[in-house]
Amino acid sequence: MRHHGGCHCGAITIDYESALAPPAIEVRACLCSFCRKHGSRAVSDPQGKLTLTFHDAGAVQRYRFGLATADYLLCGRCGVYVAAVLAEGDALYGVAIINALDDAEEFTQAAKPVDYSAEDEAARRLRRRTRWTPAEIISPR
Ligand SMILES: [Zn+2]
């Protein structure tokens, strides 16, 4: 099933594909300081696919903090947090932020609080490589 969404102004669109029905998808609420401030809930599927399209690449804000292994992608124009991505060589892995999806209400599982603060960089990269969704960024212009 394909879930479409994006930021508010249209600069970034997101397509999250997973064979799982939304009620069967685990919803995670990361307890890091960034995610808490956004109240964000995230989903990923190692067998799925995440496509981010930057319709206005100049509006895309990449934010890093902590171990600085992932890019948190926000729209610099309308402020919406849409996804996070990790680059490993040529491969890209990401999580979709549920509230950026048009059918966010379909993800009915209670958010599971997750605390990754004890991870070192190797553990963090390994978890993301194995649990995040294979991702692709498209910049049409
Ligand atoms: Zn926007």
Side-chain angles (χ1 to χ4, degrees):
M1 188 173 172
R2 179 173 161 145
H3 308 273
H4 182 75
C7 72
H8 190 262
C9 73
I12 307 170
T13 54
I14 178 172
D15 288 283
Y16 174 65
E17 295 174 58
S18 173
L20 295 171
I25 294 175
E26 179 184 89
V27 172
R28 294 190 300 273
C30 175
L31 294 177
C32 86
S33 51
F34 178 84
C35 292
R36 285 171 60 160
K37 283 181 186 288
H38 280 278
S40 56
R41 298 172 303 139
V43 284
S44 64
D45 180 351
Q47 271 77 52
K49 188 177 176 201
L50 178 66
T51 306
L52 296 157
T53 306
F54 294 169
H55 302 278
D56 180 355
V60 178
Q61 291 288 317
R62 292 174 178 267
Y63 179 65
R64 289 189 166 195
F65 65 98
L67 298 174
T69 49
D71 283 331
Y72 291 75
L73 301 175
L74 303 107
C75 179
R77 187 186 295 142
C78 69
V80 174
Y81 170 36
V82 296
V85 292
L86 167 77
E88 289 277 50
D90 291 336
L92 197 66
Y93 304 90
V95 290
I97 303 306
I98 292 174
N99 283 351
L101 299 173
D102 296 344
D103 60 351
E105 70 283 355
E106 299 288 327
F107 296 81
T108 50
Q109 282 201 19
K112 176 184 168 193
V114 286
D115 183 351
Y116 302 120
S117 58
E119 288 176 337
D120 63 12
E121 180 172 343
R124 184 152 301 172
R125 287 183 179 276
L126 176 64
R127 169 175 55 82
R128 288 171 171 163
R129 271 201 312 276
T130 52
R131 297 197 62 197
W132 283 17
T133 313
E136 176 183 25
I137 290 174
I138 298 170
S139 290
R141 282 175 288 159

